[in-house]
Amino acid sequence: MLIIGARGTGKTTLLESAISDLTEEHKGEFLTVRLNGFFQTDDKIALREIWRQLGVEMELDEKDQPKTTNFADTLSSILAILSHPDELRAPDEEGAEPAEEDPSSTTTTLSVIFILEEFDLFATHPRQTLLYNLFDIAQSRKAPIAVIGTTTRIDVVESLEKRVKSRFSHRTVHLKNPPTLKGFWEICKEGLSVDMDEVDSEINGSSDEDRRCFESWNSHLENLYKNDKQFQRHLRRIYAQNKDPKSFFNSCILPLSSSTTSFPTGPSFSLPTNQLGEPDSILSILDGLTDLELTLLIAAARLDIISDTDTCNFQMAYSEYTALTSSLKVASSATGVTAGRLWSKEVALGAWERLAEYELLVPAVIGGGSGGGVSREGRMWRVEVGLAEIGKCLEMGRAGIGRAGLGKWCKEV
């Protein structure tokens, strides 16, 4: 089964809630193996993680651990644990009568739930070996397993190989962002409010004072949503930007940490001054760039206009950077102002690659253009910010103090 939805729609929350309910009803009858496409970047790493988690859950001895790193052998060892007892039993010799089973010795294998977070990343692994084997085991009922994936890509099924797709059940659950601001607030309020039923069940003998405090806090949240204009603007801004409850909860960390036992009647929930939320745009990174990195970024953005192309490489950007610095030296010699330093190509290449790490530069082709023997200097990149945007940030002082002079390079093209 696949759970598909944008980030923040509650895919993991839905899954964990279902697992929690199953644990209460069938405790000790199944195991859960959790994999993430960001961490298990290839099938061998994923297979070792499966074995590790199963070994911990089933308390296996080290002697039972596979001694080889071969993919097929390790998978066979895992199948030996997961398979039904009938499959593990050796076939009877020809002509021999089947031995009678002892009911007291019959064992039942545990069911295993495989949770694949970022399922689309597992589909990028070579030959999709892990997905093929998991789906094949589930379809042929070689072992009692269930495979559940979560992803943000709607077209993830199209990226599966034919042999993998044929073994997929094609059962999907689609989750959407809340369509209204009120629906978004209901989700956020659920994370902040205190459930009085849970308080009564988890905190035995809670005092009347505690109950009044919790009830007052819940009333305070409702009052913020209905009457606090500042809080309403903050909530509308997050809803308009990404509709992600995580962003809202991150912005609540500082107000909640500064609250006291009298928080329901305490200071206002001053959220817009919070600095823990993600920046509004990638332009906020400019303030942390070195002069060399910022100059190279300006040079690359200028090439978009000068060369009438949306891609460039380091050689092109460094040539433009050299021309800009040289022109600055000529101008400074006439005015007596010290010009900026012209850095060597090796140092500039390091700064250029850091811009790529900051995602101010993105590969022009899949894989970063590293294929076909292309050198580091020759790889093609696309600039994620425009020259006018950089110039505006410099003019407003949002790219650091003392850099307003670089703004003329954003205007004089």
Side-chain angles (χ1 to χ4, degrees):
M1 175 184 289
L2 280 178
I3 303 177
I4 303 174
R7 302 196 184 280
T9 53
K11 300 184 297 296
T12 303
T13 302
L14 173 64
L15 190 54
E16 293 299 333
S17 177
I19 295 293
S20 178
D21 292 341
L22 280 176
T23 303
E24 293 181 2
E25 298 177 10
H26 307 280
K27 187 174 183 180
E29 298 181 14
F30 69 93
L31 304 176
T32 304
V33 175
R34 305 171 191 275
L35 304 177
N36 192 302
F38 287 134
F39 303 133
Q40 284 74 49
T41 53
D42 61 56
D43 289 342
K44 289 186 178 180
I45 297 176
L47 202 59
R48 286 197 293 268
E49 179 63 16
I50 292 173
W51 182 265
R52 185 193 70 80
Q53 294 188 30
L54 288 176
V56 172
E57 293 285 348
M58 303 180 70
E59 299 180 355
L60 300 177
D61 296 331
E62 290 187 2
K63 63 181 180 180
D64 297 327
Q65 304 275 343
K67 303 301 181 182
T68 177
T69 58
N70 181 273
F71 189 95
D73 293 345
T74 307
L75 184 60
S76 299
S77 300
I78 295 176
L79 282 176
I81 296 175
L82 300 181
S83 295
H84 289 291
D86 293 341
E87 293 190 5
L88 294 177
R89 187 180 298 112
D92 298 325
E93 296 181 2
E94 185 176 355
E97 294 183 2
E100 294 184 2
E101 293 186 0
D102 181 7
S104 62
S105 64
T106 302
T107 59
T108 303
T109 53
L110 292 172
S111 300
V112 181
I113 300 176
F114 288 89
I115 299 176
L116 307 183
E117 299 271 3
E118 307 298 335
F119 180 87
D120 53 289
L121 297 182
F122 288 99
T124 63
H125 295 181
R127 301 192 63 207
Q128 301 177 359
T129 308
L130 176 67
L131 295 180
Y132 169 76
N133 283 279
L134 288 178
F135 288 175
D136 184 62
I137 294 170
Q139 185 190 50
S140 59
R141 298 184 179 180
K142 294 180 181 178
I145 72 170
V147 183
I148 304 175
T150 64
T151 180
T152 59
R153 288 189 53 181
I154 300 177
D155 61 342
V156 64
V157 177
E158 302 303 322
S159 63
L160 298 177
E161 293 183 359
K162 185 177 180 180
R163 61 172 187 160
V164 179
K165 189 185 298 184
S166 65
R167 288 164 171 79
F168 174 49
S169 65
H170 292 272
R171 289 183 292 181
T172 59
V173 176
H174 291 264
L175 300 181
K176 299 180 180 179
N177 286 313
T180 62
L181 178 64
K182 184 177 180 180
F184 178 70
W185 164 242
E186 290 297 329
I187 296 174
C188 296
K189 185 179 68 173
E190 189 69 22
L192 290 178
S193 59
V194 180
D195 190 334
M196 301 307 298
D197 294 334
E198 291 185 2
V199 170
D200 293 335
S201 61
E202 296 180 5
I203 306 177
N204 296 327
S206 58
S207 63
D208 293 338
E209 183 180 354
D210 291 337
R211 290 187 60 85
R212 285 195 299 269
C213 181
F214 296 143
E215 291 173 355
S216 181
W217 168 248
N218 291 341
S219 300
H220 180 61
L221 292 177
E222 285 293 342
N223 183 61
L224 283 174
Y225 175 68
K226 294 178 180 179
N227 302 320
D228 194 315
K229 300 297 183 183
Q230 192 179 33
F231 181 84
Q232 293 172 1
R233 285 196 300 271
H234 178 73
L235 190 67
R236 285 196 299 267
R237 182 177 65 85
I238 295 179
Y239 179 76
Q241 286 179 341
N242 50 34
K243 299 180 177 63
D244 188 355
K246 293 180 182 179
S247 299
F248 176 78
F249 292 141
N250 287 339
S251 68
C252 293
I253 293 177
L254 286 182
L256 289 176
S257 63
S258 61
S259 300
T260 63
T261 54
S262 60
F263 54 78
T265 56
S268 175
F269 223 63
S270 55
L271 291 169
T273 59
N274 191 354
Q275 299 299 319
L276 293 182
E278 63 269 13
D280 292 338
S281 71
I282 199 173
L283 295 173
S284 59
I285 302 177
L286 299 183
D287 188 21
L289 298 181
T290 63
D291 290 342
L292 175 59
E293 292 168 350
L294 183 58
T295 307
L296 284 174
L297 184 64
I298 294 174
R302 285 170 58 91
L303 289 173
D304 286 355
I305 301 175
I306 296 174
S307 303
D308 192 21
T309 178
D310 61 347
T311 59
C312 67
N313 56 27
F314 171 73
Q315 293 281 16
M316 299 165 62
Y318 187 76
S319 298
E320 180 66 16
Y321 160 71
T322 304
L324 290 173
T325 308
S326 300
S327 64
L328 182 61
K329 285 186 176 181
V330 173
S332 61
S333 62
T335 59
V337 180
T338 304
R341 177 178 176 180
L342 178 62
W343 293 91
S344 65
K345 182 174 290 189
E346 291 76 14
V347 176
L349 180 58
W352 178 262
E353 292 177 341
R354 285 194 295 275
L355 291 176
E357 293 176 3
Y358 302 152
E359 297 184 354
L360 290 168
L361 301 175
V362 296
V365 294
I366 298 176
S370 56
V374 179
S375 64
R376 295 162 61 194
E377 296 87 349
R379 296 176 188 172
M380 302 303 293
W381 301 86
R382 182 179 293 106
V383 185
E384 281 292 276
V385 293
L387 189 63
E389 294 175 314
I390 301 175
K392 187 175 181 180
C393 288
L394 290 169
E395 185 178 348
M396 298 174 61
R398 293 169 55 188
I401 301 174
R403 292 178 168 179
L406 299 177
K408 67 177 183 179
W409 288 345
C410 300
K411 299 177 181 178
E412 301 173 0
V413 181

